[in-house]
Each structure stands twice: as structure tokens, then as C-alpha cells.
Amino acid sequence: MNNIDTKKILLIISGGISAYKSLEVIRLLKKSGATVKTILTKSAKEFVTPLSIASLSQEKVYDDLFNAENEAEMDHISLSRWSDLILVAPATANTISKLSVGSSDDLASTVILASNKEVFLVPAMNVRMWSHASTKENLQKLKNFGYQIIGPEIGDMACGEYGQGKMTEPKEIVSNIEQYFFNLEKNKKFKALVTAGPTHEYIDPVRYISNKSSGKQGYEIAKSLKKNGFETTLISGPTSLEPISGINQVNVNSAREMFNAVLDCLPTDVAIFSAAVGDFKIKNKQKHKIKKKEILNLNLEKNIDILGHISKHNSLRPKMVIGFAAETNNLNEYAKKKLSEKNCDWIIANDISNPSIGFESNYNKVSIFYKNAKYEKLPKMKKSLLADNIVKKIISHLN
Ligand code: CTP
């Protein structure tokens, strides 16, 4: 497999004894045809020399944020935009700590903070440093930011101790990167649609019925699908979220508009219905603003069930249909009922009675109910990380 022959890799080497292995990483990447530009941190220069890296990579080596010559040739933002992927190998405990707080006091950390690309970290450190609670906490934060982690391995260390903390072997690192680009390429053939956010069901021109959905989870899923190569359409109810670049986004107000947008987007391979669609709409929406009265009775009628309609439709149904169930009680029972009644492949259920997860929060805690009667409970995590986990499962299901 060689999916990196046209790729541009930005390698960041931080200062650890395993930095010497990064020379082999450069050699293997170059051998596969990739272009490799390298940034050395100040302490990395104590372990490997810019000259050896420049000779191997045949590219300029960057090391100083405030270097007029470098900034004129390729500034730190252009350097991060230039790359297809950023690889930090080795990622020392100090680098991990700096990245976890968004530090930007040197070229390496600034480029990563400014990056819009996938970042792979290859940790390498002493076993005690690796198992320290602060490293664990920092790493969890980085995983939540969406960084990918390779290793570390268990074995004899340069310091003479034994345990987990060894940098993964160069061959293995390059194979992880190849796999990443391979998946991107393979997933390009898949089309995905995501519904997200609330709907607004108008009573008159200025008033509507809605709910507390922020749309965050659906947007994160769309972002992750796109990141993994899917051709993605996001059909969004009104939210305050920024549009995601590279995604076809259709903004709608009402459930009916959302339904029509879904129909326009079909056929797709996978459809994820995360929107909190209003169950009811106003039967006689008023053309003019309703004036104040003693009593106002609203005449409501049921909205179309978008997920149910699409999922039970013989010809419209995507290969894979995923619904959500936001519940305040009897989560398992209601989720299983929705799974079968709406003919879904999966239902992702969350308990919205807990304000620290669900609707407006950046965190979520869900259980996934599968068609084969199995279900799995996932721990509380950032919505972005949950999205990555869900998309990983979608990819293995589709393949
Ligand atoms: N859904 C939909 N169209 C609707 C209502 C819901 O597509 N008119 C989808 C949601 O996007 C979600 C799933 O159906 O994926 C379940 O939504 P939820 O609001 O939890 O359930 P309801 O079917 O509305 O049932 P209830 O309100 O009784 O829990």
C-alpha cells in the first residue's frame, strides 16, 4: 500500500532521546515519495542536527518562530497550510503538556495551534513520566481536541528502565500514516447526510416553537465524516454554530423544510439524523403577527417523522440509517423502541436530564443500540471525540 507518494508531511521533532529514530521516519516517508519538511524544537537540536535532517529530507529545516528569512519564504501559517498532515515524533512530555494548554511560544507549537490539518502525536518518554497523572490528563485533552496518538510501546528504555513509553518504530509510524491516507481515499466513495439542530415551527411571522438543541453533536459528526473523506451534506436547523468548510450545508427552519432538503440530498450511503425535530407544527400559521388576547389556543398537528419516513421507505432508504434518542427517563426502553419502530441500524441515545451532557454542553455520554439487540455504553467525552468514535464505527460497518 502506498498512499503517501504525493503527500506533504510536516514533521515536528521535539527534544527526546528517541529523536534519532525520526531520521528513519524521514527516510521511509521519502522512500514512499512523500515530501517532508521538518521543524526542530530548541531541545531537539541537542539530539539531532539540522544538517542531517536537511540532507535526508532534501528540504529546508525550520527551527525559529522569529526568523525573518523563514517568515519571508514560508511563514508559520503557510507552513501549516502547506502540509497534508502534521506528525510530531517524538512528542515529549513537555511538548504534550504545552499542546494541551494551547501554548505558542515557539515555531512548533505555533504551527500546531494554527493548523487545520490532522495532527498525529508519537509520544516517547520515561515510563514514570508516561504514567504520571498530569501526562494522562494532558493526553486526554489532546485526544479531545481530535489529535491522533500513535503508541507509545512497552519495552526497554534508553534510560535503562523498562515499561511503556518507548517511541513506536518508524516503520509502524509510517504504516499508520499510510493507513490514514488509505482510509481517506477509500471513504471518498461514500456519501453521507447529517441532520442537526432544532427546528423552528412558526406560529406567526415573529414567533415559533422550538427546543434547546444546540446542533453541536451533529456538526461534530459532519466535521468528522468530512475529515475521514466522506462527501458530506449537513442539513441544519437554526443554530449559532459556524459553517464547516468543505461541507455542503443546507440551512432550514421547519421540519417540512428539513424533510425536503433530506429528499433533495438522497441517495446517500449513510444518513445520521441527529436533529431535534419539532414533533408538532401550527395547523393554521398566521400571516400577520397575532395581537395580544386573554386566551390564545394553538392548534397543533403532527410533523412528518423524517427519520421514520426515510428509514421505512423501500427505495429511498440509505444503506445505513442512524437515529438519535434524547431522553429524560427510561433511556434503554425508549431507545430500543425507536430502533425498531423507526427501522434504524443504530440508535444513539443520551440522557438529557443531566445538564453536564447532552443538548447545550460540549460533552456527551451516549449508549449505542444496534439492530442485532446488542448495545454499548460509551463513557462521557467531548462531542468532537464522540463524533470521531461514531465515524470510526460507521466506516467499519460500511466496509
Ligand atoms: N426525528 C425525525 N423527525 C421527527 C422527529 C424525530 O427525523 N419529526 C428523528 C430525530 O432526528 C432522532 C429520532 O427521530 O434521530 C428520535 O427523535 P426524538 O425526538 O428522540 O423522538 P421522537 O420520534 O420525536 O419521539 P418522542 O418525542 O416521543 O421521544
Side-chain angles (χ1 to χ4, degrees):
M1 168 172 45
N2 179 6
N3 305 288
I4 55 177
D5 55 349
T6 56
K7 300 296 185 230
K8 297 180 220 124
I9 314 288
L10 183 59
L11 172 67
I12 294 175
I13 304 181
S14 61
I17 182 72
S18 351
Y20 76 93
K21 285 190 185 173
S22 300
L23 298 178
E24 179 64 1
V25 174
I26 297 174
R27 195 187 69 78
L28 292 173
L29 287 171
K30 290 284 295 173
K31 198 175 154 206
S32 298
T35 310
V36 186
K37 286 190 193 288
T38 308
I39 297 176
L40 279 181
T41 65
K42 194 165 170 250
S43 48
K45 279 192 275 181
E46 305 290 334
F47 295 93
V48 285
T49 68
L51 183 62
S52 55
I53 291 168
S55 313
L56 265 171
S57 65
Q58 301 283 293
E59 291 282 341
K60 193 176 162 71
V61 177
Y62 299 79
D63 56 6
D64 192 355
L65 179 58
F66 304 109
N67 178 317
E69 193 196 318
N70 283 357
E71 285 288 301
E73 186 209 28
M74 188 176 267
D75 65 72
H76 58 281
I77 304 293
S78 314
L79 200 52
S80 99
R81 297 294 173 272
W82 166 86
S83 66
D84 292 309
L85 178 148
I86 296 183
L87 173 67
V88 187
T92 58
N94 183 44
T95 301
I96 287 172
S97 159
K98 280 175 62 177
L99 296 182
S100 76
V101 292
S103 173
S104 58
D105 63 348
D106 63 1
L107 182 61
S109 53
T110 306
V111 163
I112 294 174
L113 195 65
S115 168
N116 57 353
K117 301 292 159 43
E118 201 64 9
V119 177
F120 281 72
L121 304 177
V122 191
M125 65 198 74
N126 166 272
V127 57
R128 297 272 167 219
M129 292 166 88
W130 174 249
S131 57
H132 196 285
S134 61
T135 308
K136 293 261 166 287
E137 205 175 294
N138 292 336
L139 207 81
Q140 191 51 49
K141 274 171 96 178
L142 295 177
K143 282 184 187 166
N144 277 334
F145 296 161
Y147 294 3
Q148 309 236 23
I149 316 292
I150 303 175
E153 314 303 323
I154 298 172
D156 288 318
M157 315 205 134
C159 56
E161 292 188 8
Y162 177 87
Q164 188 167 17
K166 258 174 89 81
M167 180 164 139
T168 301
E169 288 306 315
K171 248 189 172 167
E172 186 69 28
I173 296 171
V174 173
S175 138
N176 268 275
I177 293 172
E178 278 177 339
Q179 189 65 49
Y180 166 73
F181 286 119
F182 176 74
N183 285 341
L184 268 191
E185 203 50 43
K186 194 174 60 176
N187 294 335
K188 267 190 191 157
K189 67 172 191 267
F190 294 128
K191 241 185 113 183
L193 110 79
V194 182
T195 70
T199 59
H200 286 181
E201 305 300 334
Y202 274 84
I203 300 167
D204 67 13
V206 291
R207 303 177 177 101
Y208 55 77
I209 301 174
S210 190
N211 58 65
K212 279 168 63 175
S213 168
S214 64
K216 284 177 186 164
Q217 188 63 74
Y219 273 59
E220 289 298 342
I221 292 173
K223 213 184 276 176
S224 184
L225 285 163
K226 186 228 146 198
K227 190 172 77 180
N228 281 282
F230 285 69
E231 185 189 330
T232 308
T233 300
L234 172 64
I235 298 169
S236 174
T239 73
S240 57
L241 302 173
E242 289 291 319
I244 306 160
S245 73
I247 282 186
N248 173 30
Q249 180 164 337
V250 184
N251 293 324
V252 297
N253 277 306
S254 64
R256 175 50 64 172
E257 286 172 21
M258 187 172 274
F259 177 63
N260 290 338
V262 167
L263 289 182
D264 284 347
C265 178
L266 294 173
T268 64
D269 297 283
V270 57
I272 299 129
F273 294 89
S274 72
V277 184
D279 288 330
F280 294 95
K281 63 178 177 190
I282 307 299
K283 202 162 184 183
N284 303 307
K285 186 185 142 193
Q286 297 300 301
K287 215 167 140 206
H288 299 291
K289 187 182 165 203
I290 300 169
K291 299 312 276 177
K292 199 174 349 181
K293 311 176 187 167
E294 280 306 314
I295 297 175
L296 174 67
N297 288 318
L298 294 177
N299 203 354
L300 302 177
E301 64 182 342
K302 254 187 143 178
N303 253 329
I304 183 160
D305 186 327
I306 307 170
L307 163 63
H309 182 90
I310 303 294
S311 198
K312 286 186 230 161
H313 200 283
N314 283 342
S315 55
L316 291 177
R317 191 186 197 279
K319 260 183 251 155
M320 192 179 182
V321 175
I322 301 174
F324 271 71
E327 309 291 350
T328 54
N329 56 322
N330 298 341
L331 185 93
N332 289 19
E333 183 197 329
Y334 290 143
K336 283 180 192 161
K337 200 162 166 245
K338 280 176 190 167
L339 180 74
S340 73
E341 282 180 359
K342 298 195 185 216
N343 191 33
C344 296
D345 293 288
W346 307 351
I347 282 281
I348 300 175
N350 61 351
D351 176 0
I352 49 165
S353 66
N354 179 348
S356 77
I357 52 171
F359 270 7
E360 281 154 339
S361 159
N362 285 326
Y363 288 83
N364 211 347
K365 183 167 182 272
V366 304
S367 296
I368 307 182
F369 293 82
Y370 300 102
K371 218 176 181 172
N372 61 8
K374 287 199 178 135
Y375 79 98
E376 80 180 300
K377 261 184 169 171
L378 301 184
K380 177 179 166 180
M381 63 183 95
K382 264 250 171 108
K383 286 183 173 170
S384 51
L385 182 62
L386 176 62
D388 284 343
N389 280 321
I390 292 170
V391 171
K392 231 179 244 169
K393 289 174 194 295
I394 292 173
I395 293 169
S396 68
H397 184 94
L398 286 173
N399 287 302

